[in-house]
Structures are given as C-alpha cells and as structure tokens.
Amino acid sequence: MALTDRVLPWLGAAAAALLGVGLFAAFFLVPPDYQQGETVRIMYIHVPAAWLGMFAYIVMTSASLGVLVWRHPLADAAQKTAAPLGRCSPSCASSPARYGASRCGEPIGSGTRG
C-alpha cells in the first residue's frame, strides 16, 4: 500500500498528460483523410466510446449471471457499477448521425438515399 500511495499520483498525472497529448495530436496534428476529409476525425471519439459501451454491457451480463446463478453480492455491486459506463453506447450510436450530413452532403432525415 505504501508503494501504491507514492506511485498512483505520478501515474495519474502521466495518464492525464498522455491523454492530452493524444487528443491534441488526433485533432490538430493528424492530416485529414484524402477521401473523407475532416470527418474521419470522429473515429477518435466514436470508436473508443463504442468499445467502452460494449465492454460495459459484457460486464453487466457477466455480473447478472453471477447474481442469478450464484447470488453473489459482489456481482450485484459490479453490475450496478458498470451500468453508467453503458451510457457511452447511446452517444456512440448518435455520433454518426451528427456528422452524416457533412459526409454525405444531404440533410439528416431527408430520405433521398436508400
């Protein structure tokens, strides 16, 4: 525990700094795609949000199995803790719709394409 108390603040600061560097590089240093242009940058937010949401649903499914089969109280706590992370999926599902008009060139919901 003493080692963790000393190392954790440094690791948290390093993680925050690397996250900032990565976001800066993704949004300002990476050149636009030759076909999709600036729209391709949505992948830097959309794909990790989708992975996080899917992982949360897998954790909740596994914890639900643990509650129903073995009635383990920690499985119930894990299920309730993972539930807010599943909120990443709705934001992930709606993000292509927000950027679809800039990619396809038509208003969202116009229904002119298939």
Side-chain angles (χ1 to χ4, degrees):
M1 291 297 273
L3 177 65
T4 305
D5 290 337
R6 287 193 314 259
V7 173
L8 190 61
W10 291 98
L11 288 177
L18 289 174
L19 179 66
V21 168
L23 286 175
F24 177 78
F27 290 120
F28 297 111
L29 298 180
V30 174
D33 188 52
Y34 74 98
Q35 286 181 329
Q36 295 182 2
E38 297 292 336
T39 309
V40 78
R41 294 177 193 260
I42 189 175
M43 288 191 304
Y44 298 122
I45 300 297
H46 174 77
V47 173
W51 277 93
L52 181 64
M54 293 303 293
F55 179 71
Y57 286 126
I58 290 170
V59 168
M60 286 190 300
T61 302
S62 303
S64 296
L65 182 68
V67 169
L68 292 174
V69 174
W70 297 289
R71 304 220 187 265
H72 199 282
L74 289 179
D76 188 43
Q79 180 183 5
K80 291 177 183 175
T81 304
L85 292 177
R87 292 185 189 149
C88 292
S89 286
S91 68
C92 175
S94 68
S95 59
R98 285 182 265 163
Y99 295 97
S102 64
R103 173 68 181 112
C104 298
E106 67 181 29
I108 297 172
S110 65
T112 58
R113 291 189 183 152

